[in-house]
């Protein structure tokens, strides 16, 4: 009995404590409600009693008081008022005659009162005469005080009863339920221990039968005994299955105590370590193979100290002396109250070898790609150098007085050179796309400006075939694209529309809004059209659909390149064609915010009139004699500029300091000091640091141009040199220099 009602039983009996708290709260609420209701009824009764006394005064004492007031018997009136003031709860009385106090009794001091004003009326000669007023003040404060006293008594009484009931219920609960739940908890706590699987069934400490039996505790007891029996039946099967899984697993599995002693090891673990299972079982975790020196021992200590799983990959030496890679997973767990460590390892040597082979392949691919980029850069440079001489001298010959036949020869040279240059550029672009070296910069582009530039580039071809070129696009149209690549695509489409058109035909540039965010730019020609079965081959590299047998120049690269450039800009390039009527090539572009309405194109910045009429000194540093002769010939037709030349960087620096030219044209590949070294020397010399320097190089890869501009070149022009482009850049640079001088 003492065990049942021990303090420990109460202290650990959370259900009992919650039962007491719930009972106290519920009883307190009921007690408060009933007490409040009882006090409210008492309050109503006391107020009614006061009002009854006031009515009694009016009915019983008022006639004699009226007579006393009528005869003005002051002593009698005061005696009567004093007597009334002694009545319960009557606090103050006052007799007024003509709104003036004449007689009073008691003290008017309560904050809460019931007031009654009674007129004093007497019959005189058969008529009622109002001779004054009796005012009676009854105190309610006394009623409140009595109710508070009663409230305290009721609350204390109810609290004592509630505690007694709660204590009794707790004792009953502990006897009938609590002690049995504690026994059930102890029994369940030992369920998972192997040594208790065959223990006796649970039996509660109470009679086997009863008037209201079986109850919920009996049902719980029977269910637990059934569960114990089921666990005991399946434990051996589960243990056998567990052992079979561990034995057959290809993963190395082991279990160790915190001190490193092995309690379980499968054959796979022994095989990875390079020992027998018996040898692994006999070894401490920290003495297995070369693990202590590989970091696995530190990983195990970390897992045990933080009680968290840890994983890692390690290069170890097996007992056979073989170097292997293993993946290790360590997870702490408790067994029989003692901390253990689960070890799972896997031989990943094959994966590591494959990763190494992959890395080597990637390195070789990167080296090959780098070699390819170097080859492209060198090839671009080597091809552009002779092309500079071919196209440069052909441009110079255009300026000479030639015979018509000679002029035709020069035109053929220029046309063939330009075609070869386009082929070189397209092949280099394709190579850059394949190697992932091409750079796309998406920005908001005004189609009007782009098409103005592209139309100028094809106007000679359009005029040659007597074609009409119309642009129906809104000048405010804005799209998201790389302006350089978009211009390249449109020029290709316009060139094809001109080359494959009929004489006297037309080309129409049109824009169509597909949605709020998509715009289709189309180029429509009046050529022979394309047969439907040939359209799938149209964007194939080097495919000209039979035009290679015609006199029309072409490489079969332009459309394939344009298709890939369009894809890089997240746009789509396609074609619709009707044989005998013409073709429409289109590109769907993402739209940007529209610009203000205007049909004007921003003018290109040019040098002021004084810069074009004055004589300027231009220094050209170039080691290639042919390139130097090309530029010298160009400047013979530009009287406003005087050309100085140097064939190496050292001499170029000497001329720059001696003559201080207005602009320096500088080649990159120079004997001795290269172009970047010369640029650096110019920049650190106070007498030459402000001279604009324009790179004039056959290194035309995007990275070459980007590097040059970052180094400090004012502009970067690529060979072959275009006379118009060179002169435009010189005038622009001279104009900017002149404006800067005026500002200073």
């Amino acid at each position: 009995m003492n065990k049942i009602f021990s303090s420990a039983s109460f202290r650990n009996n959370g259900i009992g404590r919650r039962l007491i708290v719930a009972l106290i709260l519920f009883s307190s609420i009921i007690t408060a409600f009933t007490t409040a209701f009882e006090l409210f009824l008492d309050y109503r009764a006391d107020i009614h009693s006061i009002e009854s006394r006031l009515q009694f005064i009016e009915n019983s004492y008022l006639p004699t008081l009226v007579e006393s007031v009528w005869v003005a018997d002051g002593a009698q009136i005061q005696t009567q008022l004093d007597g009334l003031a002694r009545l319960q709860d009557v606090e103050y009385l006052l007799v007024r005659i003509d709104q003036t106090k004449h007689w009073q009794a008691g003290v008017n001091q309560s904050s809460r009162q019931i007031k009654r004003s009674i007129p004093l009326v007497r019959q005189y000669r058969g008529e009622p005469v109002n001779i004054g007023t009796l005012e009676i003040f009854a105190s309610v404060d006394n009623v409140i005080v009595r109710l508070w006293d009663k409230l305290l008594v009721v609350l204390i009484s109810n609290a004592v009863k509630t505690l007694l009931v709660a204590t009794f219920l707790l004792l009953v609960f502990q006897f009938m339920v609590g002690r049995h739940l504690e026994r059930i908890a102890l029994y369940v706590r030992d369920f998972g221990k192997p040594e208790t699987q065959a223990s006796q069934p649970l039996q509660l400490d109470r009679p086997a039968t009863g008037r209201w039996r079986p109850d919920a505790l009996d049902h719980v007891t029977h269910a637990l005994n059934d569960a114990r029996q089921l666990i005991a039946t399946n434990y051996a099967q589960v243990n056998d299955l567990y052992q079979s899984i561990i034995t057959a697993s290809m993963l190395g599995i082991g279990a160790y105590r915190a001190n490193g002693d092995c309690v379980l090891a499968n054959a796979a673990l022994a095989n990875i370590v390079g020992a027998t299972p018996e040898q692994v079982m006999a070894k401490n975790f920290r003495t297995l193979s070369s693990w202590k020196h590989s970091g696995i021992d530190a990983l195990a200590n970390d897992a045990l100290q933080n009680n968290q799983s840890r994983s890692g990959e390690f290069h170890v030496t097996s007992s056979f002396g073989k170097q292997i890679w293993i993946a290790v997973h360590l997870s702490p767990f408790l067994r029989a109250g003692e901390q253990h460590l689960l070890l799972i390892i896997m031989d990943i040597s094959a994966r590591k070898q494959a990763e190494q082979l992959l890395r080597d392949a990637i390195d070789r691919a990167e080296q090959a790609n780098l070699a390819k980029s170097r080859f492209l850069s060198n090839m671009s440079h080597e091809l552009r150098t002779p092309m500079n001489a071919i196209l440069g001298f052909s441009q110079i010959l255009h300026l000479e007085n030639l015979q018509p036949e000679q002029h035709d020869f020069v035109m053929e040279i220029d046309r063939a050179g330009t075609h070869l240059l386009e082929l070189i550029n397209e092949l280099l672009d394709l190579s850059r796309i394949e190697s992932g070296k091409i750079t796309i910069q998406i920005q908001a582009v005004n189609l009007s400006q782009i098409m103005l530039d592209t139309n100028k580039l094809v106007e000679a071809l359009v005029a040659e075939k007597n074609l009409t070129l119309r642009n129906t696009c809104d000048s405010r149209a804005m799209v998201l694209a790389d302006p350089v690549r978009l211009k390249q695509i449109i020029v290709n489409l316009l060139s094809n529309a001109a080359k494959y058109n009929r004489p006297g035909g037309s080309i129409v540039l049109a824009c169509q809004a597909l949605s709020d965010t998509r715009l289709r730019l189309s180029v429509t020609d009046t050529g022979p059209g394309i047969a439907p079965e040939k359209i799938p081959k149209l964007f194939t590299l080097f495919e000209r659909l039979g035009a290679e047998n015609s006199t029309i120049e072409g490489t079969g690269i332009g459309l394939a390149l344009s298709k890939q450039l369009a894809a890089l800009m997240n746009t789509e390039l396609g074609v619709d064609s009707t044989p005998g009527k013409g073709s429409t090539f289109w590109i769907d572009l993402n739209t940007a915010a529209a610009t203000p309405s205007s049909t004007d194109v921003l003018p290109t910045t040019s040098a002021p009139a004084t810069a074009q009429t004055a004589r300027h000194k231009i220094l050209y540093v170039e080691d290639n004699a042919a390139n130097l002769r090309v530029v010298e010939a160009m400047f013979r037709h530009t009287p406003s500029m005087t050309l100085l030349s140097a064939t190496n960087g050292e001499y170029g620096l000497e001329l720059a300091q001696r003559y201080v030219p207005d602009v320096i044209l500088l080649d990159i590949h120079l004997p001795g000091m290269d172009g970047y070294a010369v640029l650096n020397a110019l920049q650190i010399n106070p007498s030459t640091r402000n001279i604009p320097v324009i790179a004039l190089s056959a290194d035309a890869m995007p990275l070459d141009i980007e590097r040059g501009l970052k180094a400090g070149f004012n502009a970067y022009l690529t060979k072959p040199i275009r006379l118009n482009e060179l002169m435009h850049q010189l005038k622009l640079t001279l104009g900017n220099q002149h404006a800067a001088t005026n500002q200073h």
Side-chain angles (χ1 to χ4, degrees):
M1 194 69 174
N2 291 334
K3 182 178 179 180
I4 296 174
F5 302 116
S6 65
S7 61
S9 298
F10 282 102
R11 188 167 53 252
N12 298 326
N13 193 346
I15 296 178
R17 291 200 302 271
R18 287 194 294 272
L19 180 63
I20 288 180
V21 171
L23 180 62
I24 290 175
L25 289 176
F26 180 74
S27 300
S28 299
I29 293 173
I30 296 301
T31 299
F33 178 76
T34 55
T35 301
F37 184 71
E38 182 179 348
L39 293 178
F40 174 73
L41 294 179
D42 289 347
Y43 175 79
R44 292 290 301 275
D46 287 349
I47 296 299
H48 181 69
S49 176
I50 292 173
E51 291 178 346
S52 298
R53 280 191 288 274
L54 295 179
Q55 187 64 40
F56 175 73
I57 291 173
E58 182 179 357
N59 295 336
S60 302
Y61 292 93
L62 192 61
T64 57
L65 183 61
V66 170
E67 289 300 326
S68 300
V69 173
W70 177 259
V71 297
D73 188 352
Q76 182 63 28
I77 294 172
Q78 189 63 49
T79 300
Q80 290 177 329
L81 291 178
D82 291 338
L84 293 175
R86 287 191 292 271
L87 295 176
Q88 185 178 0
D89 296 323
V90 176
E91 187 175 64
Y92 181 66
L93 296 99
L94 172 65
V95 175
R96 293 180 186 273
I97 298 177
D98 297 331
Q99 302 300 322
T100 302
K101 295 181 181 179
H102 280 267
W103 296 277
Q104 60 184 2
V107 180
N108 187 8
Q109 61 183 5
S110 297
S111 59
R112 292 179 290 272
Q113 296 174 327
I114 296 176
K115 179 182 177 182
R116 179 72 61 84
S117 294
I118 305 173
L120 301 177
V121 179
R122 188 179 186 283
Q123 294 291 329
Y124 178 70
R125 294 180 182 179
E127 296 292 334
V129 179
N130 191 336
I131 61 175
T133 303
L134 173 62
E135 296 181 1
I136 306 174
F137 296 86
S139 174
V140 182
D141 287 350
N142 295 331
V143 176
I144 301 300
V145 171
R146 290 197 301 273
L147 292 178
W148 273 110
D149 293 340
K150 185 175 182 179
L151 172 64
L152 184 62
V153 174
V154 172
L155 287 179
I156 292 175
S157 175
N158 289 338
V160 171
K161 290 187 288 184
T162 300
L163 289 175
L164 290 176
V165 172
T167 303
F168 175 74
L169 287 179
L170 179 61
L171 294 175
V172 171
F173 176 82
Q174 179 64 18
F175 177 77
M176 300 183 64
V177 179
R179 63 192 183 101
H180 301 304
L181 292 178
E182 291 176 5
R183 182 176 178 84
I184 291 173
L186 292 174
Y187 185 79
V188 173
R189 190 176 296 119
D190 295 335
F191 246 29
K193 298 179 180 179
E195 59 271 18
T196 62
Q197 294 302 318
S199 61
Q200 294 297 320
L202 173 63
Q203 181 64 45
L204 299 180
D205 185 17
R206 62 176 184 168
T209 59
R211 186 170 184 178
W212 292 292
R213 303 281 295 280
D215 55 16
L217 291 175
D218 291 317
H219 296 317
V220 172
T221 301
H222 294 325
L224 290 175
N225 286 329
D226 292 341
R228 180 196 59 80
Q229 184 62 39
L230 181 62
I231 292 175
T233 301
N234 294 330
Y235 181 78
Q237 298 176 358
V238 172
N239 188 56
D240 291 342
L241 179 61
Y242 163 75
Q243 293 293 339
S244 299
I245 292 174
I246 293 179
T247 302
S249 175
M250 298 179 65
L251 298 174
I253 301 176
Y256 294 85
R257 293 188 176 91
N259 61 6
D261 292 339
C262 183
V263 296
L264 173 68
N266 66 350
L269 175 62
N271 184 56
I272 294 174
V273 172
T276 64
E278 292 75 15
Q279 291 173 332
V280 175
M281 289 289 295
K283 284 188 176 183
N284 189 279
F285 175 81
R286 292 168 175 79
T287 61
L288 282 174
S289 185
S290 61
W291 292 12
K292 187 170 184 178
H293 304 289
S294 65
I296 302 178
D297 187 51
L299 192 70
N301 292 335
D302 183 30
L304 290 170
Q305 290 173 5
N306 295 284
N307 196 32
Q308 290 183 344
S309 298
R310 294 289 185 265
S311 300
E313 295 181 354
F314 302 92
H315 192 221
V316 300
T317 304
S318 69
S319 298
F320 300 133
K322 182 181 179 182
Q323 297 287 324
I324 60 173
W325 276 94
I326 58 173
V328 178
H329 179 79
L330 298 166
S331 182
F333 69 96
L334 289 177
R335 183 175 182 270
E338 182 183 355
Q339 192 177 37
H340 285 65
L341 190 65
L342 175 65
L343 166 69
I344 301 176
I345 65 174
M346 179 174 62
D347 188 343
I348 58 171
S349 301
R351 193 195 80 190
K352 284 292 184 179
Q353 183 179 6
E355 289 176 354
Q356 185 60 45
L357 291 175
L358 179 60
R359 283 193 294 269
D360 293 342
I362 292 174
D363 290 341
R364 288 194 297 271
E366 289 178 350
Q367 291 297 325
N369 196 33
L370 182 60
K372 180 180 179 182
S373 297
R374 291 199 191 100
F375 171 77
L376 289 174
S377 180
N378 293 335
M379 182 60 65
S380 173
H381 183 274
E382 294 301 323
L383 290 174
R384 287 175 184 274
T385 299
M387 288 301 301
N388 184 54
I390 295 171
L391 293 177
F393 285 122
S394 69
Q395 293 177 77
I396 300 302
L397 290 174
H398 278 303
L399 304 176
E400 303 293 338
N401 294 323
L402 301 177
Q403 298 295 326
E405 185 178 16
Q406 293 173 331
H407 185 269
D408 292 341
F409 292 162
V410 172
M411 288 293 294
E412 287 299 325
I413 294 173
D414 188 69
R415 184 180 296 111
T418 302
H419 177 64
L420 181 57
L421 181 61
E422 291 175 354
L423 177 60
I424 293 171
N425 290 333
E426 289 175 344
L427 287 173
L428 291 176
D429 279 341
L430 282 174
S431 299
R432 285 196 291 266
I433 290 175
E434 291 175 358
S435 62
K437 299 295 184 181
I438 196 164
T439 302
I440 298 295
Q441 296 181 343
I442 303 298
Q443 56 186 295
V445 177
N446 187 307
L447 274 181
S448 177
Q449 180 65 55
I450 291 290
M451 289 187 286
L452 182 65
D453 295 340
T454 57
N455 291 355
K456 288 181 179 179
L457 293 174
V458 298
E459 61 185 7
L461 185 59
V462 170
E464 181 183 344
K465 298 197 67 172
N466 192 27
L467 302 173
T468 301
L469 176 58
R470 291 190 298 116
N471 176 14
T472 63
C473 288
D474 187 348
S475 62
R476 296 172 298 174
M478 297 288 290
V479 296
L480 294 173
D482 184 312
V484 175
R485 300 305 175 184
L486 179 59
K487 187 185 299 183
Q488 187 175 353
I489 294 173
I490 297 175
V491 167
N492 182 269
L493 298 181
L494 288 173
S495 298
N496 286 345
K499 287 191 297 185
Y500 296 99
N501 213 324
R502 59 179 175 82
S506 64
I507 303 173
V508 178
L509 267 168
C511 297
Q512 176 188 0
L514 302 179
S515 66
D516 292 338
T517 60
R518 202 76 167 168
L519 179 142
R520 171 167 291 185
L521 172 64
S522 61
V523 177
T524 303
D525 62 59
T526 55
I530 306 169
E533 64 274 11
K534 293 184 178 181
I535 288 180
K537 300 179 182 179
L538 188 61
F539 298 101
T540 304
L541 197 61
F542 305 114
E543 177 62 61
R544 297 192 63 200
L545 304 181
E548 63 273 12
N549 300 320
S550 68
T551 58
I552 302 175
E553 293 180 349
T555 61
I557 297 176
L559 284 177
L561 176 61
S562 298
K563 185 79 169 178
Q564 296 188 50
L565 290 175
L568 290 174
M569 292 192 297
N570 194 29
T571 62
E572 183 181 358
L573 179 64
V575 60
D576 299 317
S577 184
T578 303
K581 293 185 178 181
S583 304
T584 298
F585 285 83
W586 49 263
I587 179 171
D588 291 344
L589 299 162
N590 295 316
T591 58
T595 60
S597 177
S598 174
T599 58
D600 297 331
V601 180
L602 292 176
T604 303
T605 304
S606 61
T610 56
Q612 297 187 27
T613 57
R615 196 167 186 84
H616 296 284
K617 295 190 294 290
I618 311 297
L619 172 61
Y620 183 28
V621 185
E622 170 65 73
D623 66 312
N624 186 285
N627 292 339
L628 188 57
R629 288 181 61 194
V630 168
V631 175
E632 287 175 344
M634 289 180 176
F635 273 79
R636 281 201 298 269
H637 297 274
T638 311
S640 62
M641 299 181 188
T642 299
L643 183 67
L644 306 173
S645 62
T647 57
N648 58 62
E650 292 82 355
Y651 185 49
L653 289 173
E654 181 181 342
L655 292 180
Q657 294 181 46
R658 183 186 307 171
Y659 295 104
V660 189
D662 297 290
V663 180
I664 297 176
L665 302 176
L666 183 59
D667 186 28
I668 299 297
H669 294 282
L670 295 171
M673 296 178 67
D674 67 359
Y676 289 105
V678 174
L679 177 65
N680 184 60
L682 290 169
Q683 290 173 337
I684 63 177
N685 191 326
S687 63
T688 59
R689 67 175 54 164
N690 295 323
I691 302 175
V693 183
I694 299 174
L696 204 60
S697 174
D699 292 340
M701 303 294 281
L703 291 178
D704 298 326
I705 299 174
E706 181 180 358
R707 179 191 174 193
L709 295 176
K710 285 183 178 179
F713 284 107
N714 293 74
Y716 194 106
L717 302 181
T718 60
K719 300 173 182 176
I721 303 169
R722 291 292 184 180
L723 177 59
N724 292 338
E725 182 182 8
L726 175 60
M727 291 304 162
H728 171 74
Q729 186 60 54
L730 282 173
K731 291 178 181 179
L732 179 63
T733 304
L734 289 170
N736 292 338
Q737 186 183 30
H738 179 78
T741 303
N742 290 338
Q743 287 179 356
H744 291 291

